[in-house]
Amino acid sequence: MAQSQGWLRRYFKALCKGFFVAVPVAVTFLDRVACVARVEGSSMQPSLNPGGSQSSDVVLLNHWKVRNFEVQRGDIVSLVTIGHKNRLVKVPRGHIWVEGDHHGHSFDSNSFGPVSLGLLHAHATHILWPPERWQRLESVLPPERFPIHSREE
C-alpha cells in the first residue's frame, strides 16, 4: 500500500511540474508566435468563408510576422478591437488603412478610420479548416483597388 501511495504521489508531482512548465510556454507561444482563429461572417468574402454563413474558415494567425509592422497591401491581418469613426481621413505616418473584402459588410477603416500600427495583431497566413480549403493565403489586390495620391505627392 505504501508503494502505491508513493507512486501516486510521484505521478501527481510530475504532473504538476509539467503543468507549470507547459502552460506558460503554451500561452507565450499563442501570444507571441502564432494562434488559430475562426473567421465568422461575410466581411472577408470571397477570400474567406466563400460559402457564406454555412461555413467558417479557420486560419493560422502569425504574430511573429507582424512584429516589425512589415505588412503589404493585400495582406489579410487581424487587429485589436477599436471603435471610433471618421469621415474624411488622411492616413498619418505609422498608421494603416484596412478594408474587408466584402465592402458593404465590413467593419473596417471606412467605419473607424486609419489604424495605428500598434494595434496590428497578426497576419493570417493559411486556411486550416475546412480541409478541402487548406491553402496558403496570398496577398491579392482586386484590380479596381489602387492607392489614391494627394496633390502633395
Side-chain angles (χ1 to χ4, degrees):
M1 185 72 171
Q3 284 182 334
S4 67
Q5 286 180 345
W7 176 83
L8 187 60
R9 183 173 292 171
R10 283 194 312 269
Y11 178 77
F12 183 71
K13 193 174 185 179
L15 182 69
C16 287
K17 283 182 181 179
F19 176 81
F20 286 112
V21 170
V23 168
V25 169
V27 167
T28 300
F29 180 85
L30 293 172
D31 187 49
R32 297 291 178 197
V33 179
C35 66
V36 175
R38 191 169 126 204
V39 178
E40 297 178 344
S42 61
S43 67
M44 288 304 297
Q45 287 178 341
S47 297
L48 301 173
N49 293 345
S53 60
Q54 68 267 21
S55 69
S56 290
D57 287 342
V58 176
V59 297
L60 176 68
L61 294 178
N62 186 334
H63 300 288
W64 194 256
K65 193 169 180 179
V66 298
R67 70 189 183 282
N68 294 326
F69 309 115
E70 294 174 6
V71 292
Q72 304 297 320
R73 292 191 68 209
D75 286 350
I76 298 173
V77 296
S78 169
L79 302 172
V80 175
T81 305
I82 51 180
H84 67 279
K85 189 170 183 159
N86 293 324
R87 284 286 167 220
L88 299 173
V89 178
K90 178 179 179 185
V91 179
R93 185 175 299 278
H95 289 68
I96 57 176
W97 187 267
V98 293
E99 291 188 13
D101 285 355
H102 199 180
H103 183 65
H105 300 278
S106 296
F107 183 63
D108 56 18
S109 287
N110 291 307
S111 301
F112 50 73
V115 177
S116 168
L117 285 172
L119 295 176
L120 192 60
H121 179 251
H123 180 228
T125 58
H126 295 80
I127 296 176
L128 303 176
W129 193 262
E132 64 271 8
R133 292 200 16 87
W134 282 350
Q135 62 182 306
R136 178 172 168 71
L137 292 170
E138 301 295 332
S139 298
V140 178
L141 285 174
E144 69 274 3
R145 299 277 176 124
F146 52 88
I148 298 173
H149 298 287
S150 68
R151 293 180 189 142
E152 300 155 359
E153 295 180 326

